[in-house]
Amino acid sequence: DIVMTQTPLSLSVTPGQPASISCKSSQSLLHSDGKTYLFWYLQKPGQSPQLLIYEVSSRFSGVPDRFSGSGSGTDFTLKISRVEAEDVGFYYCMQAINLPFTFGPGTKVDIK
Amino acid sequence: EVQLVESGGGLVQPGGSLRLSCAASGFTFSDHYMDWVRQAPGKGLEWVGRTRNKANSYTTEYAASVKGRFTISRDDSKKSLYLQMNSLKTEDTAVYYCARRPSTGWGIDYWGQGTLVTVSS
């Protein structure tokens, strides 16, 4: 199985300041079709996960443009340009190139 | 609006069985692969399994931790997904989420609100 790691595991951010989360996979997520199957989800307190970013850098419908994704191969980054109070929760990266899908351990983001 | 609503969770003894359901609406259910993902209390996310669509013969895949004990099925006429869980263990205690694969592309785009399964004596 592909192992996903995330750093940091916890992040406390002042509103209006940027935040960045790193995700690494144990093998390349680049498929032969040319796409890279790395996804980012946010699980707000008491809610189910919601898709933020798909295929490394594409924002899902309705996701604010302060969220952006980048990376390639095995190294990926989620950036929030200006953190807002509603962005608190756990952020997970997930690989979907192979079954079983596997997730990073999650990064807890809270507000200072 | 895409909606996925799970039901059927509850308290069950070790070794027991439970069947979860997921009612889908707001999209053409029969077109999509569907997954189950679980989250133990205070823990991260674990993919449980998948059913493909009719065009792909409704084939299924399972995580090693549940293979041989859990069975995923679907009824496209009822727009419903099911998870039959047998020989339950205490480590199966989790919130179980129904999730949808996009019609184009891979991964998971929408998740249900989840249903809690507690395995305890």
Side-chain angles (χ1 to χ4, degrees):
Chain A
D1 296 358
I2 296 175
V3 176
M4 306 295 290
T5 57
Q6 288 180 231
T7 54
L9 297 183
S10 182
L11 199 51
S12 190
V13 187
T14 300
Q17 293 301 300
S20 180
I21 301 169
S22 172
C23 173
K24 296 183 189 296
S25 57
S26 61
Q27 63 189 72
S28 176
L29 303 185
L30 173 62
H31 193 271
S32 56
D33 65 6
K35 297 181 180 180
T36 300
Y37 291 106
L38 186 282
F39 297 73
W40 288 99
Y41 299 91
L42 165 60
Q43 186 172 31
K44 296 182 179 182
Q47 295 186 19
S48 56
Q50 58 189 80
L51 177 61
L52 295 176
I53 302 287
Y54 63 96
E55 294 169 15
V56 178
S57 59
S58 296
R59 270 189 304 277
F60 191 53
S61 174
V63 175
D65 61 8
R66 64 179 181 273
F67 291 94
S68 64
S70 62
S72 63
T74 61
D75 290 353
F76 307 95
T77 302
L78 175 71
K79 292 183 179 178
I80 311 172
S81 59
R82 296 172 304 280
V83 172
E84 297 187 5
E86 66 182 22
D87 300 336
V88 300
F90 281 87
Y91 290 77
Y92 295 94
C93 59
M94 182 193 84
Q95 67 80 17
I97 193 171
N98 283 346
L99 291 177
F101 293 164
T102 48
F103 297 84
T107 295
K108 183 179 181 180
V109 173
D110 62 25
I111 298 296
K112 280 185 183 176
Chain B
E1 179 192 5
V2 173
Q3 285 200 320
L4 299 168
V5 179
E6 300 91 338
S7 60
L11 175 63
V12 61
Q13 292 188 337
S17 297
L18 206 59
R19 189 195 197 206
L20 305 184
S21 299
C22 171
S25 61
F27 65 100
T28 305
F29 178 75
S30 58
D31 286 348
H32 290 259
Y33 294 13
M34 297 295 297
D35 291 0
W36 287 98
V37 179
R38 68 184 180 183
Q39 186 171 35
K43 302 297 184 183
L45 299 163
E46 179 188 16
W47 180 83
V48 171
R50 150 170 293 185
T51 175
R52 297 181 177 87
N53 55 14
K54 182 178 181 180
N56 290 277
S57 305
Y58 298 125
T59 53
T60 53
E61 307 283 352
Y62 299 94
S65 58
V66 306
K67 195 170 186 178
R69 300 188 299 122
F70 288 12
T71 301
I72 297 173
S73 61
R74 62 192 293 165
D75 185 334
D76 289 348
S77 68
K78 295 182 179 179
K79 300 182 181 179
S80 291
L81 175 72
Y82 305 102
L83 180 64
Q84 177 67 43
M85 303 184 293
N86 298 332
S87 303
L88 281 161
K89 306 175 182 180
T90 55
E91 53 264 41
D92 295 319
T93 294
V95 173
Y96 284 75
Y97 296 104
C98 163
R100 189 187 85 159
R101 176 190 143 163
S103 53
T104 58
W106 296 11
I108 291 172
D109 59 1
Y110 287 96
W111 303 64
Q113 88 289 346
T115 187
L116 175 62
V117 173
T118 303
V119 185
S120 175
S121 54

